[in-house]
Amino acid sequence: MTTLDPVRWLREFAALIDANAAALTELDSAIGDADHGSNMRRGTAAVVAALDESAPAETLKQAGMTLIRSVGGASGPLYGTFFLRFAAAVGAGELDAAVFAKGFRAGLDGVVARGKAEPGDKTMFDALAPAATALDESLAAGTDLPAALTAALAAAEAGRDATIPLQARKGRAAFLGERSIGHQDPGATSSVLLVRAARQALA
Ligand code: ADP
Ligand code: MG
Ligand code: MG
């Protein structure tokens, strides 16, 4: 049975953030304060620097704490909480399809508990939530982890793209009102990279 190594996941996430940092900041310059790429790059680089040989749940917990400490901005506590809740749901196990789906759902619930985002608020929730649903559906259908992550990635990308016509109701972009319409949400964009990193980490 395929399992995901969280160290590989976090390394891939950091690499994708690094490669896309300028694009993320560009998106945030349109509807925010032009720091999402630099925030996330600082945070994920700190996560990689702190990686050690811990068990999966401990690795993910450390990542969450490091993101909360080092990202700054709205996205730090939100991604940090995602990983802390994910870690708590993993227990002593490896990240197989069932554990990954359960962890991802717990992480999403943590993002909502912290940020109170609802569907269509034009946030990272709009990419993460469809991915969580795709993971749950894949699990129910008996799909293996690679195929589940491929489905989750497609769902996250569709959710990210669907943020473009939305008017932001959470975060800095909400201050723009109607002027936030027509722009892709930076956090939904980095959330796609989180899912893509998991898929790539299996390869
Ligand atoms: P800041 O806005 O503080 O500069 P970032 O630029 O790093 O922080 O992150 C902005 C992203 O955070 C947004 O694009 C959005 O996806 C996400 N975000 C902001 N507020 C919330 C919230 N309440 N719930 C979920 N996501 C949020
Ligand atoms: Mg910002
Ligand atoms: Mg900021």
Side-chain angles (χ1 to χ4, degrees):
M1 186 167 34
T2 310
T3 60
L4 174 66
D5 176 357
V7 169
R8 294 193 59 167
W9 181 19
L10 293 165
R11 283 192 193 283
E12 287 289 340
F13 186 38
L16 285 172
I17 290 291
D18 189 57
N20 290 277
L24 292 171
T25 286
E26 182 72 26
L27 292 171
D28 198 33
S29 75
I31 57 170
D33 56 353
D35 64 359
H36 189 57
S38 49
N39 284 347
M40 293 299 296
R41 179 150 61 182
R42 186 169 58 250
T44 53
V47 165
V48 167
L51 285 173
D52 55 24
E53 297 296 305
S54 303
E58 181 61 26
T59 296
L60 294 167
K61 183 180 162 193
Q62 277 179 24
M65 293 189 302
T66 302
L67 290 171
I68 290 173
R69 193 168 55 235
S70 62
V71 172
S75 55
L78 293 166
Y79 277 116
T81 302
F82 177 89
F83 279 108
L84 289 181
R85 296 286 188 97
F86 196 121
V90 164
E94 300 278 317
L95 304 189
D96 61 17
V99 172
F100 189 87
K102 189 172 139 207
F104 200 96
R105 173 66 62 187
L108 174 66
D109 289 347
V111 168
V112 172
R114 187 112 199 190
K116 310 281 182 273
E118 292 176 24
D121 279 354
K122 196 178 181 98
T123 71
M124 61 176 70
F125 175 92
D126 293 322
L128 293 172
T133 300
L135 290 169
D136 289 343
E137 288 172 356
S138 296
L139 191 64
T143 312
D144 63 8
L145 183 58
L149 285 172
T150 298
L153 177 56
E157 288 172 341
R160 172 202 63 196
D161 294 346
T163 65
I164 295 172
L166 296 174
Q167 179 172 333
R169 289 189 298 246
K170 289 285 185 309
R172 288 178 184 280
F175 296 126
L176 291 178
E178 289 183 358
R179 281 181 293 144
S180 64
I181 293 171
H183 300 281
Q184 185 171 303
D185 180 62
T189 308
S190 58
S191 286
V192 167
L193 301 180
L194 178 70
V195 180
R196 181 173 299 151
R199 182 65 190 83
Q200 287 183 188
L202 292 179

